[in-house]
Amino acid sequence: MALLTTRPKTGPNGSESRRSVGDTVAEVRGHHRSFGSTHVLRGADLTVRRGEFVALLGRSGSGKSTLLRSLAGLDPSPKGEVSVTGRTSVAFQEPRLLPWRTVERNVELALLNTVRDASRSEKVRGALAEVSLTEKTDVWPGSLSGGQAQRVSLARALVSEPDLLLLDEPFSALDALTRIEMHALVTQLWERHQPAILLVTHDVDEAIALADRVLVLDQGRIAREWQVPLRRTSRSPEHHQIAQLRDEVLGALGVTPTNAHHQETGAA
Amino acid sequence: MSALVASRPNSAPSSPGRGTTRRSAASRLSWLRRWVSPLAIVLVWQLLSDAGVIPEDKIASPAQIGATAWQLTKDGTLGDATLVSVQRVLAGFAVGAVIGLVLAVVAGVSRIGEDTVDPPMQMLRTLPHFGLIPLFIVWMGIGEAPKIALIAMGVAFPLYLNTFSGIRSIDRRMTEAAVTMGLTRRQRLRHVVIPGALPQALVGLRQSLGVAWLSLIVAETVSADSGLGYMINHAREFLQTDVIVVGLAVYSILGLATDSLVRLIERRALAWRS
């Protein structure tokens, strides 16, 4: 079992190591991170199990994005504090597509070091089909709508068949209707490919609707944790278990819940 | 010299469809209309020359210039002179472009590179490079070397400044996304940094080509025993204004030609921006 302390080099043996490892894809132990005199993370602990969908909530500045960046290998972390097994990929709040490459060639870039030239195109087309963008393969990213661009970004993140998919508020810039469609799409893709997902969000309802487990980051560490009850299809906001969980999570975020369940969390 | 920095025309792509024939006919008409006044000026010039109002030793008539151009082309004088001048520009451009681009990449991709390369470049760029001619002559004499050095100097700075700022203006978030996809430093340079800096670098290319021709003209006017500048200087001694105008026209045409070449490259390489 090879626990890599830094971002794993996604080499040709990536899939092999995936099969040989145990139950955990990401492990954070006592992680500290400060910027100047501001201590953002103060001993954060987090375990993400294989195939698990985890939502990480927190107020602005709680360090949730910092934690995600550590897991993505974008932020240097001391040895032993952050370890990720297998392949990781990230979808950010902005799609971050390269404007000078077509949609297809953007997705292809994620396979540059892992898949042979000849079989890339087929995988890319498969990934674009899964996000229903087959007709946009040869288009410049600049001509896509926000939702379409974010779907390309998802396809690019999934095409490398990651063990851990990190989602950094990927729906927050989308309009409400597109966001609902994206929730369904992410759920569907997660069920099909079973990567572990860490979704960083400030939207409590989104977290409860999508995740197996909801975490709240506060004061630089994981303050609270809940298993989300019920199957995803039964998680109606009116259901008393869901309503109660929602109140608890909001409470942990420092928001006094009211009876209106469809309001914005205000914890942006 | 304004021909060297010709402005970009509004090239509106004609959309396919039923209205195309009529619209392109209309645009052809307006294109023709734009030729009326230049032709009228040439015609008036010719008439005034014929009437003796414009003396030939001040400027020759258009017909005379045309005849001289034909004569110089036929006996090979113009072709030889142009070839020599073009070779000078190519050599100077090659040297300057390599220096400008390499320094821009060094300064653009590393902090240490920037701190080392950028301060002297920013200081040197304020020097009017034509002012260096006396020094270049002291150092290199009056042969080919100072001419090529002058052109190279003129080319290096606009390319450096534009490419460097192009690299710096690349969205860091793009580079980050490339890191999360496991791209190596070299791959990021190739797939993110270079294409990202290309639009600004091409602006630098156009500027630097303009300066290259300008530097050539200045260098050849100061001293030359061959090339277009020599042809023009030689004609001056004999008050051959027709030859001088032919030389100037060739300078303009060469400048325009390289400018259109860069515009063609821009259209091809920056198709994604339309």
Side-chain angles (χ1 to χ4, degrees), chain A residues 7 69 74 90 94 96-101 109-110 112-113 140 156, chain B residues 173-174 176-177 179-184 187 191-192 195-196 271-272:
Chain A
R7 187 191 150 66
R69 291 175 61 83
L74 292 172
V90 190
E94 332 77 32
R96 302 197 186 186
L97 304 174
L98 301 178
W100 49 85
R101 294 174 80 93
L109 208 57
L112 199 61
N113 292 323
W140 302 117
R156 181 177 68 179
Chain B
R173 296 173 303 178
M174 301 279 180
E176 255 181 26
V179 171
T180 66
M181 285 185 271
L183 267 62
T184 63
Q187 287 170 331
H191 296 293
V192 182
W272 55 272

PDB file of all heavy atoms in Angstrom, chain A residues 7 69 74 90 94 96-101 109-110 112-113 140 156, chain B residues 173-174 176-177 179-184 187 191-192 195-196 271-272:
ATOM      1  N   ARG A   7       1.126  14.997  -3.916  1.00  0.00           N
ATOM      2  CA  ARG A   7       0.216  14.661  -4.991  1.00  0.00           C
ATOM      3  C   ARG A   7       0.782  13.494  -5.777  1.00  0.00           C
ATOM      4  O   ARG A   7       1.924  13.508  -6.182  1.00  0.00           O
ATOM      5  CB  ARG A   7       0.085  15.858  -5.926  1.00  0.00           C
ATOM      6  CG  ARG A   7      -0.966  15.636  -6.956  1.00  0.00           C
ATOM      7  CD  ARG A   7      -0.927  16.674  -8.034  1.00  0.00           C
ATOM      8  NE  ARG A   7      -1.411  16.038  -9.241  1.00  0.00           N
ATOM      9  CZ  ARG A   7      -2.657  15.609  -9.395  1.00  0.00           C
ATOM     10  NH1 ARG A   7      -3.510  15.766  -8.437  1.00  0.00           N
ATOM     11  NH2 ARG A   7      -3.031  15.025 -10.504  1.00  0.00           N
ATOM     12  N   ARG A  69      -7.352  22.543  -1.363  1.00  0.00           N
ATOM     13  CA  ARG A  69      -6.120  22.800  -2.117  1.00  0.00           C
ATOM     14  C   ARG A  69      -4.974  21.923  -1.613  1.00  0.00           C
ATOM     15  O   ARG A  69      -4.137  21.480  -2.399  1.00  0.00           O
ATOM     16  CB  ARG A  69      -5.742  24.274  -2.041  1.00  0.00           C
ATOM     17  CG  ARG A  69      -6.714  25.174  -2.805  1.00  0.00           C
ATOM     18  CD  ARG A  69      -6.363  26.642  -2.603  1.00  0.00           C
ATOM     19  NE  ARG A  69      -5.029  26.944  -3.099  1.00  0.00           N
ATOM     20  CZ  ARG A  69      -4.757  27.211  -4.378  1.00  0.00           C
ATOM     21  NH1 ARG A  69      -5.740  27.228  -5.248  1.00  0.00           N
ATOM     22  NH2 ARG A  69      -3.532  27.471  -4.764  1.00  0.00           N
ATOM     23  N   LEU A  74      -2.061  21.543  -4.392  1.00  0.00           N
ATOM     24  CA  LEU A  74      -1.794  22.901  -4.843  1.00  0.00           C
ATOM     25  C   LEU A  74      -1.217  23.760  -3.726  1.00  0.00           C
ATOM     26  O   LEU A  74      -0.807  24.882  -3.948  1.00  0.00           O
ATOM     27  CB  LEU A  74      -3.087  23.558  -5.355  1.00  0.00           C
ATOM     28  CG  LEU A  74      -3.656  22.973  -6.644  1.00  0.00           C
ATOM     29  CD1 LEU A  74      -5.021  23.568  -6.941  1.00  0.00           C
ATOM     30  CD2 LEU A  74      -2.704  23.235  -7.797  1.00  0.00           C
ATOM     31  N   VAL A  90      -9.662  17.619  -9.946  1.00  0.00           N
ATOM     32  CA  VAL A  90     -10.353  18.745  -9.330  1.00  0.00           C
ATOM     33  C   VAL A  90     -11.262  19.422 -10.349  1.00  0.00           C
ATOM     34  O   VAL A  90     -10.882  19.606 -11.496  1.00  0.00           O
ATOM     35  CB  VAL A  90      -9.335  19.799  -8.817  1.00  0.00           C
ATOM     36  CG1 VAL A  90     -10.048  20.851  -7.966  1.00  0.00           C
ATOM     37  CG2 VAL A  90      -8.200  19.152  -8.045  1.00  0.00           C
ATOM     38  N   GLU A  94     -14.773  28.026 -11.094  1.00  0.00           N
ATOM     39  CA  GLU A  94     -14.794  28.456 -12.494  1.00  0.00           C
ATOM     40  C   GLU A  94     -14.325  27.260 -13.316  1.00  0.00           C
ATOM     41  O   GLU A  94     -13.505  26.479 -12.857  1.00  0.00           O
ATOM     42  CB  GLU A  94     -13.853  29.627 -12.751  1.00  0.00           C
ATOM     43  CG  GLU A  94     -13.590  30.540 -11.575  1.00  0.00           C
ATOM     44  CD  GLU A  94     -12.626  29.939 -10.578  1.00  0.00           C
ATOM     45  OE1 GLU A  94     -11.726  29.181 -10.990  1.00  0.00           O
ATOM     46  OE2 GLU A  94     -12.772  30.217  -9.374  1.00  0.00           O
ATOM     47  N   ARG A  96     -12.269  26.909 -15.705  1.00  0.00           N
ATOM     48  CA  ARG A  96     -10.829  26.896 -15.954  1.00  0.00           C
ATOM     49  C   ARG A  96     -10.454  26.085 -17.195  1.00  0.00           C
ATOM     50  O   ARG A  96      -9.511  25.291 -17.182  1.00  0.00           O
ATOM     51  CB  ARG A  96     -10.045  26.366 -14.754  1.00  0.00           C
ATOM     52  CG  ARG A  96     -10.296  27.173 -13.500  1.00  0.00           C
ATOM     53  CD  ARG A  96      -9.249  26.926 -12.449  1.00  0.00           C
ATOM     54  NE  ARG A  96      -9.597  27.598 -11.195  1.00  0.00           N
ATOM     55  CZ  ARG A  96      -8.828  27.653 -10.134  1.00  0.00           C
ATOM     56  NH1 ARG A  96      -7.646  27.066 -10.171  1.00  0.00           N
ATOM     57  NH2 ARG A  96      -9.210  28.290  -9.060  1.00  0.00           N
ATOM     58  N   LEU A  97     -11.215  26.277 -18.259  1.00  0.00           N
ATOM     59  CA  LEU A  97     -10.858  25.632 -19.525  1.00  0.00           C
ATOM     60  C   LEU A  97      -9.868  26.535 -20.250  1.00  0.00           C
ATOM     61  O   LEU A  97      -9.926  27.755 -20.115  1.00  0.00           O
ATOM     62  CB  LEU A  97     -12.110  25.426 -20.382  1.00  0.00           C
ATOM     63  CG  LEU A  97     -13.232  24.631 -19.708  1.00  0.00           C
ATOM     64  CD1 LEU A  97     -14.476  24.628 -20.591  1.00  0.00           C
ATOM     65  CD2 LEU A  97     -12.786  23.205 -19.416  1.00  0.00           C
ATOM     66  N   LEU A  98      -8.960  25.933 -21.020  1.00  0.00           N
ATOM     67  CA  LEU A  98      -8.011  26.733 -21.792  1.00  0.00           C
ATOM     68  C   LEU A  98      -8.735  27.243 -23.041  1.00  0.00           C
ATOM     69  O   LEU A  98      -9.177  26.445 -23.867  1.00  0.00           O
ATOM     70  CB  LEU A  98      -6.795  25.885 -22.193  1.00  0.00           C
ATOM     71  CG  LEU A  98      -6.008  25.283 -21.017  1.00  0.00           C
ATOM     72  CD1 LEU A  98      -4.865  24.423 -21.521  1.00  0.00           C
ATOM     73  CD2 LEU A  98      -5.487  26.366 -20.094  1.00  0.00           C
ATOM     74  N   PRO A  99      -8.853  28.564 -23.193  1.00  0.00           N
ATOM     75  CA  PRO A  99      -9.693  29.093 -24.276  1.00  0.00           C
ATOM     76  C   PRO A  99      -9.162  28.785 -25.675  1.00  0.00           C
ATOM     77  O   PRO A  99      -9.904  28.872 -26.637  1.00  0.00           O
ATOM     78  CB  PRO A  99      -9.709  30.606 -24.008  1.00  0.00           C
ATOM     79  CG  PRO A  99      -8.568  30.873 -23.106  1.00  0.00           C
ATOM     80  CD  PRO A  99      -8.329  29.624 -22.325  1.00  0.00           C
ATOM     81  N   TRP A 100      -7.870  28.462 -25.786  1.00  0.00           N
ATOM     82  CA  TRP A 100      -7.292  28.233 -27.110  1.00  0.00           C
ATOM     83  C   TRP A 100      -7.333  26.758 -27.508  1.00  0.00           C
ATOM     84  O   TRP A 100      -6.789  26.381 -28.532  1.00  0.00           O
ATOM     85  CB  TRP A 100      -5.838  28.732 -27.156  1.00  0.00           C
ATOM     86  CG  TRP A 100      -5.011  28.257 -26.016  1.00  0.00           C
ATOM     87  CD1 TRP A 100      -4.340  27.082 -25.919  1.00  0.00           C
ATOM     88  CD2 TRP A 100      -4.773  28.949 -24.783  1.00  0.00           C
ATOM     89  NE1 TRP A 100      -3.722  26.990 -24.706  1.00  0.00           N
ATOM     90  CE2 TRP A 100      -3.971  28.129 -23.996  1.00  0.00           C
ATOM     91  CE3 TRP A 100      -5.188  30.194 -24.292  1.00  0.00           C
ATOM     92  CZ2 TRP A 100      -3.544  28.517 -22.726  1.00  0.00           C
ATOM     93  CZ3 TRP A 100      -4.759  30.560 -23.033  1.00  0.00           C
ATOM     94  CH2 TRP A 100      -3.944  29.733 -22.263  1.00  0.00           C
ATOM     95  N   ARG A 101      -7.935  25.931 -26.706  1.00  0.00           N
ATOM     96  CA  ARG A 101      -8.116  24.525 -27.082  1.00  0.00           C
ATOM     97  C   ARG A 101      -9.603  24.244 -27.199  1.00  0.00           C
ATOM     98  O   ARG A 101     -10.379  24.739 -26.389  1.00  0.00           O
ATOM     99  CB  ARG A 101      -7.499  23.601 -26.018  1.00  0.00           C
ATOM    100  CG  ARG A 101      -5.995  23.697 -25.901  1.00  0.00           C
ATOM    101  CD  ARG A 101      -5.501  22.867 -24.729  1.00  0.00           C
ATOM    102  NE  ARG A 101      -5.404  21.465 -25.052  1.00  0.00           N
ATOM    103  CZ  ARG A 101      -4.290  20.882 -25.495  1.00  0.00           C
ATOM    104  NH1 ARG A 101      -3.203  21.585 -25.651  1.00  0.00           N
ATOM    105  NH2 ARG A 101      -4.272  19.604 -25.765  1.00  0.00           N
ATOM    106  N   LEU A 109      -6.429  16.915 -22.410  1.00  0.00           N
ATOM    107  CA  LEU A 109      -5.238  17.307 -21.658  1.00  0.00           C
ATOM    108  C   LEU A 109      -5.104  16.531 -20.347  1.00  0.00           C
ATOM    109  O   LEU A 109      -3.996  16.263 -19.869  1.00  0.00           O
ATOM    110  CB  LEU A 109      -5.303  18.814 -21.380  1.00  0.00           C
ATOM    111  CG  LEU A 109      -3.988  19.570 -21.224  1.00  0.00           C
ATOM    112  CD1 LEU A 109      -3.117  19.394 -22.443  1.00  0.00           C
ATOM    113  CD2 LEU A 109      -4.269  21.044 -20.975  1.00  0.00           C
ATOM    114  N   ALA A 110      -6.237  16.129 -19.779  1.00  0.00           N
ATOM    115  CA  ALA A 110      -6.206  15.402 -18.514  1.00  0.00           C
ATOM    116  C   ALA A 110      -5.652  13.990 -18.681  1.00  0.00           C
ATOM    117  O   ALA A 110      -5.344  13.321 -17.703  1.00  0.00           O
ATOM    118  CB  ALA A 110      -7.612  15.344 -17.917  1.00  0.00           C
ATOM    119  N   LEU A 112      -2.986  13.365 -20.736  1.00  0.00           N
ATOM    120  CA  LEU A 112      -1.684  13.524 -21.396  1.00  0.00           C
ATOM    121  C   LEU A 112      -0.634  12.545 -20.884  1.00  0.00           C
ATOM    122  O   LEU A 112       0.140  11.989 -21.653  1.00  0.00           O
ATOM    123  CB  LEU A 112      -1.205  14.972 -21.196  1.00  0.00           C
ATOM    124  CG  LEU A 112      -0.146  15.475 -22.141  1.00  0.00           C
ATOM    125  CD1 LEU A 112      -0.654  15.449 -23.568  1.00  0.00           C
ATOM    126  CD2 LEU A 112       0.256  16.899 -21.761  1.00  0.00           C
ATOM    127  N   ASN A 113      -0.628  12.308 -19.575  1.00  0.00           N
ATOM    128  CA  ASN A 113       0.436  11.468 -19.022  1.00  0.00           C
ATOM    129  C   ASN A 113      -0.037  10.083 -18.618  1.00  0.00           C
ATOM    130  O   ASN A 113       0.718   9.317 -18.040  1.00  0.00           O
ATOM    131  CB  ASN A 113       1.057  12.170 -17.808  1.00  0.00           C
ATOM    132  CG  ASN A 113       1.800  13.410 -18.221  1.00  0.00           C
ATOM    133  OD1 ASN A 113       2.435  13.455 -19.270  1.00  0.00           O
ATOM    134  ND2 ASN A 113       1.703  14.446 -17.395  1.00  0.00           N
ATOM    135  N   TRP A 140     -14.952  26.130 -29.419  1.00  0.00           N
ATOM    136  CA  TRP A 140     -14.071  26.834 -28.476  1.00  0.00           C
ATOM    137  C   TRP A 140     -14.817  27.049 -27.161  1.00  0.00           C
ATOM    138  O   TRP A 140     -16.013  27.368 -27.185  1.00  0.00           O
ATOM    139  CB  TRP A 140     -13.640  28.198 -29.030  1.00  0.00           C
ATOM    140  CG  TRP A 140     -12.928  28.166 -30.336  1.00  0.00           C
ATOM    141  CD1 TRP A 140     -13.352  28.723 -31.508  1.00  0.00           C
ATOM    142  CD2 TRP A 140     -11.661  27.568 -30.630  1.00  0.00           C
ATOM    143  NE1 TRP A 140     -12.423  28.507 -32.501  1.00  0.00           N
ATOM    144  CE2 TRP A 140     -11.380  27.807 -31.987  1.00  0.00           C
ATOM    145  CE3 TRP A 140     -10.735  26.854 -29.870  1.00  0.00           C
ATOM    146  CZ2 TRP A 140     -10.216  27.348 -32.609  1.00  0.00           C
ATOM    147  CZ3 TRP A 140      -9.583  26.402 -30.484  1.00  0.00           C
ATOM    148  CH2 TRP A 140      -9.333  26.649 -31.832  1.00  0.00           C
ATOM    149  N   ARG A 156     -13.729  16.656 -17.839  1.00  0.00           N
ATOM    150  CA  ARG A 156     -12.271  16.663 -17.773  1.00  0.00           C
ATOM    151  C   ARG A 156     -11.785  16.064 -16.453  1.00  0.00           C
ATOM    152  O   ARG A 156     -10.778  15.365 -16.407  1.00  0.00           O
ATOM    153  CB  ARG A 156     -11.769  18.111 -17.917  1.00  0.00           C
ATOM    154  CG  ARG A 156     -10.274  18.231 -17.875  1.00  0.00           C
ATOM    155  CD  ARG A 156      -9.823  19.654 -18.090  1.00  0.00           C
ATOM    156  NE  ARG A 156     -10.196  20.502 -16.959  1.00  0.00           N
ATOM    157  CZ  ARG A 156      -9.902  21.799 -16.877  1.00  0.00           C
ATOM    158  NH1 ARG A 156      -9.261  22.392 -17.862  1.00  0.00           N
ATOM    159  NH2 ARG A 156     -10.267  22.496 -15.829  1.00  0.00           N
TER     160      ARG A 156
ATOM    161  N   ARG B 173      -4.978  30.619 -12.474  1.00  0.00           N
ATOM    162  CA  ARG B 173      -5.897  29.510 -12.218  1.00  0.00           C
ATOM    163  C   ARG B 173      -5.825  28.452 -13.313  1.00  0.00           C
ATOM    164  O   ARG B 173      -6.054  27.281 -13.072  1.00  0.00           O
ATOM    165  CB  ARG B 173      -7.321  30.056 -12.084  1.00  0.00           C
ATOM    166  CG  ARG B 173      -7.470  30.981 -10.875  1.00  0.00           C
ATOM    167  CD  ARG B 173      -8.817  31.641 -10.831  1.00  0.00           C
ATOM    168  NE  ARG B 173      -9.086  32.398 -12.038  1.00  0.00           N
ATOM    169  CZ  ARG B 173     -10.222  33.051 -12.269  1.00  0.00           C
ATOM    170  NH1 ARG B 173     -11.168  33.026 -11.382  1.00  0.00           N
ATOM    171  NH2 ARG B 173     -10.394  33.717 -13.378  1.00  0.00           N
ATOM    172  N   MET B 174      -5.466  28.904 -14.534  1.00  0.00           N
ATOM    173  CA  MET B 174      -5.278  27.948 -15.638  1.00  0.00           C
ATOM    174  C   MET B 174      -4.093  27.030 -15.333  1.00  0.00           C
ATOM    175  O   MET B 174      -4.149  25.822 -15.522  1.00  0.00           O
ATOM    176  CB  MET B 174      -4.975  28.682 -16.940  1.00  0.00           C
ATOM    177  CG  MET B 174      -6.028  29.640 -17.368  1.00  0.00           C
ATOM    178  SD  MET B 174      -7.352  28.749 -18.182  1.00  0.00           S
ATOM    179  CE  MET B 174      -8.418  30.113 -18.558  1.00  0.00           C
ATOM    180  N   GLU B 176      -2.872  26.372 -12.471  1.00  0.00           N
ATOM    181  CA  GLU B 176      -3.236  25.495 -11.357  1.00  0.00           C
ATOM    182  C   GLU B 176      -4.014  24.282 -11.838  1.00  0.00           C
ATOM    183  O   GLU B 176      -3.737  23.147 -11.434  1.00  0.00           O
ATOM    184  CB  GLU B 176      -4.112  26.266 -10.375  1.00  0.00           C
ATOM    185  CG  GLU B 176      -3.393  26.679  -9.129  1.00  0.00           C
ATOM    186  CD  GLU B 176      -4.329  27.411  -8.190  1.00  0.00           C
ATOM    187  OE1 GLU B 176      -5.549  27.189  -8.239  1.00  0.00           O
ATOM    188  OE2 GLU B 176      -3.811  28.215  -7.428  1.00  0.00           O
ATOM    189  N   ALA B 177      -4.989  24.542 -12.719  1.00  0.00           N
ATOM    190  CA  ALA B 177      -5.777  23.440 -13.256  1.00  0.00           C
ATOM    191  C   ALA B 177      -4.857  22.438 -13.955  1.00  0.00           C
ATOM    192  O   ALA B 177      -5.022  21.225 -13.826  1.00  0.00           O
ATOM    193  CB  ALA B 177      -6.829  23.963 -14.226  1.00  0.00           C
ATOM    194  N   VAL B 179      -1.770  21.857 -13.208  1.00  0.00           N
ATOM    195  CA  VAL B 179      -1.048  21.120 -12.167  1.00  0.00           C
ATOM    196  C   VAL B 179      -1.911  19.969 -11.662  1.00  0.00           C
ATOM    197  O   VAL B 179      -1.437  18.843 -11.507  1.00  0.00           O
ATOM    198  CB  VAL B 179      -0.656  22.057 -10.998  1.00  0.00           C
ATOM    199  CG1 VAL B 179      -0.117  21.263  -9.823  1.00  0.00           C
ATOM    200  CG2 VAL B 179       0.365  23.075 -11.462  1.00  0.00           C
ATOM    201  N   THR B 180      -3.193  20.239 -11.436  1.00  0.00           N
ATOM    202  CA  THR B 180      -4.049  19.174 -10.901  1.00  0.00           C
ATOM    203  C   THR B 180      -4.251  18.055 -11.924  1.00  0.00           C
ATOM    204  O   THR B 180      -4.613  16.951 -11.554  1.00  0.00           O
ATOM    205  CB  THR B 180      -5.438  19.694 -10.471  1.00  0.00           C
ATOM    206  OG1 THR B 180      -6.147  20.142 -11.629  1.00  0.00           O
ATOM    207  CG2 THR B 180      -5.323  20.831  -9.494  1.00  0.00           C
ATOM    208  N   MET B 181      -4.008  18.363 -13.207  1.00  0.00           N
ATOM    209  CA  MET B 181      -4.112  17.304 -14.215  1.00  0.00           C
ATOM    210  C   MET B 181      -2.800  16.543 -14.349  1.00  0.00           C
ATOM    211  O   MET B 181      -2.660  15.689 -15.221  1.00  0.00           O
ATOM    212  CB  MET B 181      -4.518  17.902 -15.563  1.00  0.00           C
ATOM    213  CG  MET B 181      -5.968  18.284 -15.618  1.00  0.00           C
ATOM    214  SD  MET B 181      -6.427  18.854 -17.261  1.00  0.00           S
ATOM    215  CE  MET B 181      -6.082  20.573 -17.147  1.00  0.00           C
ATOM    216  N   GLY B 182      -1.832  16.893 -13.510  1.00  0.00           N
ATOM    217  CA  GLY B 182      -0.575  16.162 -13.498  1.00  0.00           C
ATOM    218  C   GLY B 182       0.397  16.583 -14.584  1.00  0.00           C
ATOM    219  O   GLY B 182       1.348  15.851 -14.889  1.00  0.00           O
ATOM    220  N   LEU B 183       0.204  17.769 -15.184  1.00  0.00           N
ATOM    221  CA  LEU B 183       1.130  18.208 -16.227  1.00  0.00           C
ATOM    222  C   LEU B 183       2.462  18.652 -15.615  1.00  0.00           C
ATOM    223  O   LEU B 183       2.483  19.335 -14.586  1.00  0.00           O
ATOM    224  CB  LEU B 183       0.517  19.376 -17.027  1.00  0.00           C
ATOM    225  CG  LEU B 183      -0.241  18.981 -18.296  1.00  0.00           C
ATOM    226  CD1 LEU B 183      -1.419  18.102 -17.964  1.00  0.00           C
ATOM    227  CD2 LEU B 183      -0.705  20.219 -19.045  1.00  0.00           C
ATOM    228  N   THR B 184       3.535  18.246 -16.257  1.00  0.00           N
ATOM    229  CA  THR B 184       4.860  18.646 -15.779  1.00  0.00           C
ATOM    230  C   THR B 184       5.117  20.108 -16.135  1.00  0.00           C
ATOM    231  O   THR B 184       4.364  20.715 -16.895  1.00  0.00           O
ATOM    232  CB  THR B 184       5.958  17.793 -16.444  1.00  0.00           C
ATOM    233  OG1 THR B 184       5.907  18.049 -17.859  1.00  0.00           O
ATOM    234  CG2 THR B 184       5.745  16.320 -16.205  1.00  0.00           C
ATOM    235  N   GLN B 187       5.394  20.558 -19.776  1.00  0.00           N
ATOM    236  CA  GLN B 187       4.087  20.458 -20.439  1.00  0.00           C
ATOM    237  C   GLN B 187       3.236  21.699 -20.199  1.00  0.00           C
ATOM    238  O   GLN B 187       2.497  22.133 -21.073  1.00  0.00           O
ATOM    239  CB  GLN B 187       3.340  19.211 -19.932  1.00  0.00           C
ATOM    240  CG  GLN B 187       3.912  17.917 -20.475  1.00  0.00           C
ATOM    241  CD  GLN B 187       3.344  16.694 -19.784  1.00  0.00           C
ATOM    242  OE1 GLN B 187       2.967  16.744 -18.614  1.00  0.00           O
ATOM    243  NE2 GLN B 187       3.297  15.583 -20.488  1.00  0.00           N
ATOM    244  N   HIS B 191       1.683  23.815 -23.148  1.00  0.00           N
ATOM    245  CA  HIS B 191       0.233  23.817 -23.372  1.00  0.00           C
ATOM    246  C   HIS B 191      -0.491  25.008 -22.750  1.00  0.00           C
ATOM    247  O   HIS B 191      -1.616  25.300 -23.126  1.00  0.00           O
ATOM    248  CB  HIS B 191      -0.388  22.519 -22.841  1.00  0.00           C
ATOM    249  CG  HIS B 191       0.086  21.298 -23.568  1.00  0.00           C
ATOM    250  ND1 HIS B 191      -0.234  21.063 -24.881  1.00  0.00           N
ATOM    251  CD2 HIS B 191       0.877  20.277 -23.178  1.00  0.00           C
ATOM    252  CE1 HIS B 191       0.334  19.920 -25.270  1.00  0.00           C
ATOM    253  NE2 HIS B 191       1.017  19.436 -24.260  1.00  0.00           N
ATOM    254  N   VAL B 192       0.120  25.633 -21.771  1.00  0.00           N
ATOM    255  CA  VAL B 192      -0.564  26.756 -21.107  1.00  0.00           C
ATOM    256  C   VAL B 192       0.181  28.073 -21.339  1.00  0.00           C
ATOM    257  O   VAL B 192      -0.394  29.040 -21.818  1.00  0.00           O
ATOM    258  CB  VAL B 192      -0.710  26.496 -19.586  1.00  0.00           C
ATOM    259  CG1 VAL B 192      -1.467  27.637 -18.932  1.00  0.00           C
ATOM    260  CG2 VAL B 192      -1.424  25.175 -19.337  1.00  0.00           C
ATOM    261  N   PRO B 195       0.879  29.128 -25.481  1.00  0.00           N
ATOM    262  CA  PRO B 195      -0.344  29.584 -26.165  1.00  0.00           C
ATOM    263  C   PRO B 195      -1.022  30.745 -25.460  1.00  0.00           C
ATOM    264  O   PRO B 195      -1.637  31.585 -26.110  1.00  0.00           O
ATOM    265  CB  PRO B 195      -1.243  28.343 -26.184  1.00  0.00           C
ATOM    266  CG  PRO B 195      -0.634  27.357 -25.270  1.00  0.00           C
ATOM    267  CD  PRO B 195       0.796  27.705 -25.088  1.00  0.00           C
ATOM    268  N   GLY B 196      -0.883  30.809 -24.138  1.00  0.00           N
ATOM    269  CA  GLY B 196      -1.515  31.897 -23.400  1.00  0.00           C
ATOM    270  C   GLY B 196      -0.849  33.238 -23.677  1.00  0.00           C
ATOM    271  O   GLY B 196      -1.496  34.281 -23.668  1.00  0.00           O
ATOM    272  N   ALA B 271      -7.637  32.026 -33.857  1.00  0.00           N
ATOM    273  CA  ALA B 271      -9.012  31.803 -34.319  1.00  0.00           C
ATOM    274  C   ALA B 271      -9.961  31.672 -33.135  1.00  0.00           C
ATOM    275  O   ALA B 271     -11.131  32.047 -33.229  1.00  0.00           O
ATOM    276  CB  ALA B 271      -9.072  30.556 -35.189  1.00  0.00           C
ATOM    277  N   TRP B 272      -9.465  31.166 -32.023  1.00  0.00           N
ATOM    278  CA  TRP B 272     -10.318  30.938 -30.859  1.00  0.00           C
ATOM    279  C   TRP B 272     -10.853  32.239 -30.263  1.00  0.00           C
ATOM    280  O   TRP B 272     -11.802  32.225 -29.488  1.00  0.00           O
ATOM    281  CB  TRP B 272      -9.570  30.157 -29.785  1.00  0.00           C
ATOM    282  CG  TRP B 272      -8.274  30.771 -29.346  1.00  0.00           C
ATOM    283  CD1 TRP B 272      -7.045  30.576 -29.910  1.00  0.00           C
ATOM    284  CD2 TRP B 272      -8.062  31.676 -28.260  1.00  0.00           C
ATOM    285  NE1 TRP B 272      -6.099  31.295 -29.237  1.00  0.00           N
ATOM    286  CE2 TRP B 272      -6.696  31.974 -28.221  1.00  0.00           C
ATOM    287  CE3 TRP B 272      -8.902  32.246 -27.304  1.00  0.00           C
ATOM    288  CZ2 TRP B 272      -6.131  32.837 -27.276  1.00  0.00           C
ATOM    289  CZ3 TRP B 272      -8.350  33.100 -26.367  1.00  0.00           C
ATOM    290  CH2 TRP B 272      -6.970  33.394 -26.352  1.00  0.00           C
TER     291      TRP B 272
END
